[in-house]
Amino acid sequence: MSHPLRRLRRIVTALALTAAVLLSAPPAHAAPTTPTSAPAPAATGATGAPGATAPGSGYWHTSGRQLLDEAGRPVRIAGVNWFGFETADHVPHGLWARDYGSMIDQMRALGFNTIRLPYSDDLFRGSVPTGVNHSGGMNADLEGLTSLQVMDRIVDRAGSAGLKVILDRHRPDAGGQSALWYTSAVPESTWLADLRAIAARYAGNPTVIGIDLHNEPHDPACWGCGDPALDWRLAAERGGEAVLGANSSLLVLVEGVQSFQGSSTWWGGNLRGAAAYPVRLGVPNRLVYSAHEYATSVARQPWFDDPAFPANLPAVWDSNWGYLFRQNIAPVWVGEFGSTLQAAADRTWLTALTQYLRPTAQAGADAFSWTFWSWNPNSGDTGGILKDDWTTVDTVKDGYLTAVKAPGFAAGGGVGDTRSPTAPTGLTATAVTATSATLGWAASQDDTGVTGYDVHRGATLVGTVTGTTYTDTGLAPATAYTYTVTARDAAGNVSAASGATTVTTAGPAGTTGCTASWHTDSQWDTGFTATVTVTNTGSRAGSTWTAAWDRPAGWQPTGTWNAAVTQSASTVTATGLAYNSALAPGASTTFGLQGSGRLGASPPVPTCTVTP
């Protein structure tokens, strides 16, 4: 049946305005033809021998459902999306808070091996980045560069860190996503010319392994209908030939559509038509199909309400895109998937999806490839691997991806490290309060070295650490909790669980208290942006907080983030959301808002309450 969807990114535009203020302060067709080039030759010698190359080296190519590196070794894309080039900032987001090099190094340290970089065709019209912090030497080598030159620096740094890059033509321009690969302002001829330009720009640089031709084609885009103005499959062939004509070593990554013969799914996620209408390219072994897959935090799909959920999910994925892998037709890359993980159904969905993608410890690189949406925390649909400070890792979210990471571009088919670490021992609670428990354990042993430990509270993964201690916070007073710990190595092998230990938090003694402070970030003739900081000043944890202030005359809200804001005739009230409403003693959180009207010389003075 028809199931139209419109997935909005909901990236908060006011954030860019706030970032600009922060910059003034210290850092806060025909049958295939003869190929124009053959796949890269295999290196001589085995890995580690003289003349050998490291796993994942060089350009990549395909063989059936697998991706292979220049030496013919199986490899797996296991990465993150870092968006921003496609927005009005014309640069990856977060550079108002951190140096780009430190972010790339953090991606690598977390075990990601690929960055998907969305961009728009504005990149080729001389766009200039905004919202980049250069104070204190931060991003110093990006100062004065165009957006395209910044992309060069990011590619170079990714390559030096051992990461690969996929360039994603996300939008025709920064104005928003388009259903088709062209618009009246950016015709197909421009799309093709720009694909040729960016493919040629990185020719000879195997850090860039491929180009995603267009993000999320959707209705009225069709697959196999034969209309050259609407048939995405035919357009992808034209786009692929443009890329390969400029750089025949690149992978051509082709997303699906929304609907095919009455079956509808996510934008870009429907590849059912590729069985009867495959994409044909003149250079063999370069085609990778790409799907997008999301959870209930993005939109409610009918399979989430199926009584068989989640057991029904593999059949849904098989029908839409998984069959291409399972029938050895072509590699499949899930270019976007993500969730806030606030809903229980989302957590169940992500657990099922990572198992479907085939854990690296069991399948190696004979598996689906993927890039998680997103690295950025400022995706309103999903949040990110990073939290709102652009530094702290959401270890729970990242932990779900552990089994499918492939930091060493691990070889598949049982090749490589398949030995699991020993189970952690001696798990005990070293400190317990009313709202937290600190755990410690003895280190595990592994033939190649333990890279991390996953801490479970009951069946829930609550944290991932590299050391042998962990503090679980936000607990309820006078409550019993049971913990276990597992170890993992670089290949994704996971140990058996440690012995369980049960702790009981202290009683609900203590006081409650809360303060809220207003900061006007920017103000102009017709509006303003502001940040409010809420702090738990009591000695008891708070489960919810509320801030309120007198409604400024003529003020109307035009945007809010990190809080639910309502107003009456005289009062504005803000309450926390599911992910930031709980506050430990001494902890703070912030929310922002944008409004019309001027505040004048005296900004609002908010009051605050916190509920245990």
Side-chain angles (χ1 to χ4, degrees), residues 308-360:
F309 177 85
N312 62 321
L313 292 176
V316 173
W317 298 328
D318 277 345
S319 298
N320 286 330
W321 44 269
Y323 76 93
L324 292 162
F325 175 88
R326 299 196 182 280
Q327 295 178 22
N328 202 35
I329 295 171
V332 176
W333 166 55
V334 184
E336 291 184 18
F337 66 104
S339 165
T340 60
L341 294 184
Q342 297 306 305
D346 282 27
R347 298 189 291 272
T348 300
W349 164 85
L350 187 53
T351 298
L353 181 58
T354 53
Q355 285 300 306
Y356 183 85
L357 296 178
R358 297 167 60 94
T360 303

Side-chain angles (χ1 to χ4, degrees), residues 444-462:
S444 298
Q445 303 299 314
D446 185 70
D447 57 333
T448 60
V450 174
T451 57
Y453 296 91
D454 298 324
V455 182
H456 303 262
R457 186 199 313 134
T460 302
L461 176 67
V462 293

Side-chain angles (χ1 to χ4, degrees), residues 216-232:
E216 296 184 345
H218 54 276
D219 297 348
C222 62
W223 190 290
C225 66
D227 182 344
L230 299 177
D231 193 332
W232 167 236

Side-chain angles (χ1 to χ4, degrees), residues 19 44 56 78 156 204 244 248 275 305 340 343 456 470 508 534 547 572 607:
T44 58
D156 288 345
L244 295 172
S248 62
D305 297 315
T340 60
H456 303 262
Y470 177 77
V534 177
V572 181
T607 59

Side-chain angles (χ1 to χ4, degrees), residues 292-592:
H292 289 187
E293 195 69 34
Y294 279 96
T296 53
S297 57
V298 176
R300 194 76 181 178
Q301 293 274 19
W303 47 87
F304 296 125
D305 297 315
D306 189 322
F309 177 85
N312 62 321
L313 292 176
V316 173
W317 298 328
D318 277 345
S319 298
N320 286 330
W321 44 269
Y323 76 93
L324 292 162
F325 175 88
R326 299 196 182 280
Q327 295 178 22
N328 202 35
I329 295 171
V332 176
W333 166 55
V334 184
E336 291 184 18
F337 66 104
S339 165
T340 60
L341 294 184
Q342 297 306 305
D346 282 27
R347 298 189 291 272
T348 300
W349 164 85
L350 187 53
T351 298
L353 181 58
T354 53
Q355 285 300 306
Y356 183 85
L357 296 178
R358 297 167 60 94
T360 303
Q362 287 77 49
D366 184 22
F368 294 92
S369 288
W370 55 271
T371 43
F372 188 76
W373 187 277
S374 61
W375 178 250
N376 310 46
N378 60 323
S379 171
D381 286 329
T382 64
I385 293 296
L386 295 185
K387 295 189 176 182
D388 286 347
D389 62 1
W390 284 93
T391 299
T392 305
V393 175
D394 186 328
T395 55
V396 174
K397 186 175 291 185
D398 184 58
Y400 278 89
L401 305 176
T402 298
V404 290
K405 289 181 181 178
F409 300 98
V415 179
D417 179 18
T418 60
R419 182 181 301 175
S420 298
T422 61
T425 59
L427 177 63
T428 58
T430 59
V432 180
T433 70
T435 59
S436 68
T438 300
L439 308 168
W441 56 90
S444 298
Q445 303 299 314
D446 185 70
D447 57 333
T448 60
V450 174
T451 57
Y453 296 91
D454 298 324
V455 182
H456 303 262
R457 186 199 313 134
T460 302
L461 176 67
V462 293
T464 296
V465 293
T466 56
T468 57
T469 62
Y470 177 77
T471 299
D472 191 18
T473 60
L475 305 179
T479 304
Y481 296 95
T482 300
Y483 294 91
T484 56
V485 178
T486 55
R488 52 185 167 78
D489 62 17
N493 301 306
V494 180
S495 75
S498 68
T501 188
T502 300
V503 300
T504 302
T505 52
T511 60
T512 62
C514 182
T515 61
S517 60
W518 176 287
H519 180 265
T520 301
D521 297 317
S522 61
Q523 188 167 189
W524 57 96
D525 289 342
T526 59
F528 66 91
T529 61
T531 299
V532 178
T533 301
V534 177
T535 303
N536 183 355
T537 58
S539 58
R540 294 178 61 181
S543 61
T544 59
W545 54 263
T546 301
W549 60 90
D550 292 335
R551 179 174 176 270
W555 180 81
Q556 290 292 333
T558 58
T560 61
W561 51 99
N562 295 340
V565 177
T566 59
Q567 64 173 330
S568 65
S570 60
T571 303
V572 181
T573 303
T575 56
L577 302 177
Y579 60 85
N580 70 348
S581 59
L583 286 179
S588 298
T589 190
T590 61
F591 65 90

Side-chain angles (χ1 to χ4, degrees), residues 56 80 82 85 92 99-109 112-117 141-142 150-167 202 205-209 407 409:
V80 288
W82 187 13
F85 269 126
D99 183 84
Y100 76 97
S102 73
M103 289 227 249
I104 292 172
D105 291 344
Q106 188 179 22
M107 293 174 193
R108 187 66 173 115
F112 299 109
N113 64 31
T114 306
I115 305 171
R116 180 179 184 249
L117 276 181
D141 60 335
L142 305 185
V150 170
M151 179 176 279
D152 294 341
R153 296 293 173 90
I154 289 174
V155 167
D156 288 345
R157 182 56 181 265
S160 66
L163 297 173
K164 295 294 188 181
V165 173
I166 294 172
L167 301 177
Y202 296 109
N205 184 347
T207 296
V208 177
I209 57 170
F409 300 98

